[in-house]
Amino acid sequence: MGGCNSSGILTATKVVNNGRCRIASVRVATTGNTAGSISVYDSATATTSGKKEITRMYVGASADVHNHEFDMHGTIAAEGVYVVVTGTIAYSIEFY
């Protein structure tokens, strides 16, 4: 059985990985009455200019807790993984 790395639970904009990797999954959670989004870019630095946006996830506000996962099927990020956060959410990126 293969394994992968995890960013751990994060809540802010961050370079998650500096260098080529394969993204296994993207997970997003809220704790009720919060909303936000994340955009995942193929970027080794804290820039989105001229970089490919790999995926974007939105989570709406409600009284319920929301947990979402995108299976990324090993999508290749050639430069690295940079995540931009808006709102109040938590996320993790699983990669290898």
Side-chain angles (χ1 to χ4, degrees), residues 14-76:
K14 179 178 177 77
V15 174
V16 172
N17 186 60
N18 181 352
R20 184 180 178 95
C21 65
R22 295 175 66 97
I23 302 172
S25 67
V26 177
R27 297 175 180 173
V28 176
T30 65
T31 56
N33 294 321
T34 60
S37 69
I38 66 167
S39 292
V40 180
Y41 290 88
D42 184 350
S43 180
T45 62
T47 184
T48 60
S49 180
K51 303 301 180 180
K52 181 192 302 183
E53 185 175 9
I54 297 171
T55 192
R56 187 181 305 169
M57 296 176 76
Y58 296 99
V59 181
S62 76
D64 299 324
V65 174
H66 297 278
N67 293 291
H68 303 280
E69 179 179 15
F70 278 179
D71 182 348
M72 298 299 292
H73 303 287
T75 298
I76 295 172

